[in-house]
Amino acid sequence: MANNEQTIIMQERDVNNKRQDHLNWDDYFMAVAFLSAKRSKDPCTQVGACIVDRMQRIIAVGYNGMPRGCSDEEFPWQKHTNNKLDSKYLYVCHAEVNAILNKNSYDVQNCTMYVGLFPCNECAKMIIQSGIKKVIYMSDKHSHKIETIAAKKMFDAASIEYRQYIPNPGKIMIDFDEINWNDQNQLPTTPLKIN
């Protein structure tokens, strides 16, 4: 078998022992942030955020999009334009802000935020002011931009811990057919990858 080929064998699950292939917390929460990003209508960058409390409970999610009451059919999604009023940057709420505002708890004090893209300076201010203490991000592709440099400078000054998320599995797939609730007699199987 070639090195780059993979064979998938279906193996019955051991229903008498704990699963070993479950997601760890970081993978789970970052996957929730990425799933939230799928709601974004931004044609260039879809970002999601997930806020988690100290007991590993999700207390908020958000994604980048237009403010409530501002139709995403009427407001612009353009990235490059000669008229600044036609630029999405004046209107779009970032995922971090939406997650903070969407919280289902009294506050987000001492929480952790999982986010697909390192926060900009404006989001960093919101994160600091809200009391979030840790930011786990996937991409730092804008690390050279002044907004990101300013965000890191503020995080350092405010003792906000931040670290890059390194995915354990390269891909997490949601297969709605994996659990067939209509056929309770079918024994579940787990695909095994063999290199």
Side-chain angles (χ1 to χ4, degrees), residues 42 64-65 81 88 104 115 120 155 181:
D42 192 309
N64 58 318
T81 177
K88 69 178 181 176
N104 60 11
V115 64
C120 70
F155 281 168
W181 294 106

Side-chain angles (χ1 to χ4, degrees), residues 17-195:
N17 289 301
K18 179 178 84 171
R19 279 182 52 229
Q20 298 300 316
D21 62 343
H22 63 278
L23 294 176
N24 67 38
W25 287 120
D26 277 356
D27 294 333
Y28 173 63
F29 296 131
M30 190 60 77
V32 170
F34 270 67
L35 186 60
S36 297
K38 295 288 188 187
R39 286 284 309 143
S40 175
K41 295 180 178 93
D42 192 309
C44 298
T45 306
Q46 301 83 45
V47 180
C50 176
I51 302 174
V52 180
D53 70 11
R54 287 179 281 175
M55 294 178 65
Q56 307 292 12
R57 295 177 299 194
I58 296 172
I59 62 168
V61 293
Y63 57 89
N64 58 318
M66 295 297 170
R68 286 189 187 112
C70 299
S71 170
D72 50 37
E73 300 295 331
E74 296 174 18
F75 280 82
W77 288 103
Q78 294 179 38
K79 185 173 182 173
H80 304 290
T81 177
N82 292 330
N83 183 353
K84 286 187 179 183
L85 279 176
D86 291 333
S87 169
K88 69 178 181 176
Y89 297 112
L90 293 177
Y91 309 104
V92 171
C93 292
H94 287 184
E96 301 92 327
V97 172
N98 279 330
I100 291 168
L101 295 175
N102 290 340
K103 67 185 180 297
N104 60 11
S105 65
Y106 177 72
D107 61 33
V108 292
Q109 290 286 323
N110 301 308
C111 287
T112 299
M113 177 180 281
Y114 289 80
V115 64
L117 187 60
F118 195 94
C120 70
N121 62 309
E122 292 298 322
C123 290
K125 290 187 249 183
M126 287 281 294
I127 289 166
I128 293 166
Q129 291 298 87
S130 71
I132 291 171
K133 291 297 180 192
K134 186 187 294 185
V135 174
I136 300 173
Y137 62 93
M138 175 83 174
S139 172
D140 197 9
K141 72 177 185 175
H142 297 304
S143 63
H144 63 285
K145 291 187 175 182
I146 196 162
E147 295 86 355
T148 306
I149 295 167
K152 289 178 182 177
K153 188 173 181 179
M154 287 187 283
F155 281 168
D156 291 340
S159 298
I160 305 298
E161 181 184 339
Y162 56 92
R163 69 173 168 83
Q164 188 167 24
Y165 162 77
I166 307 298
N168 185 14
K171 184 185 291 189
I172 296 173
M173 188 170 133
I174 298 173
D175 181 358
F176 291 109
D177 292 326
E178 188 175 80
I179 300 175
N180 185 351
W181 294 106
N182 296 320
D183 187 1
Q184 294 294 318
N185 296 322
Q186 183 180 9
L187 284 175
T189 56
T190 302
L192 292 179
K193 293 179 185 172
I194 299 175
N195 292 328

Side-chain angles (χ1 to χ4, degrees), residues 1-6 195:
M1 188 179 313
N3 289 342
N4 60 353
E5 289 181 15
Q6 290 184 343
N195 292 328

Side-chain angles (χ1 to χ4, degrees), residues 6-23:
Q6 290 184 343
T7 302
I8 297 179
I9 298 174
M10 298 306 282
Q11 180 182 22
E12 282 191 22
R13 291 184 187 166
D14 182 351
V15 296
N16 296 314
N17 289 301
K18 179 178 84 171
R19 279 182 52 229
Q20 298 300 316
D21 62 343
H22 63 278
L23 294 176

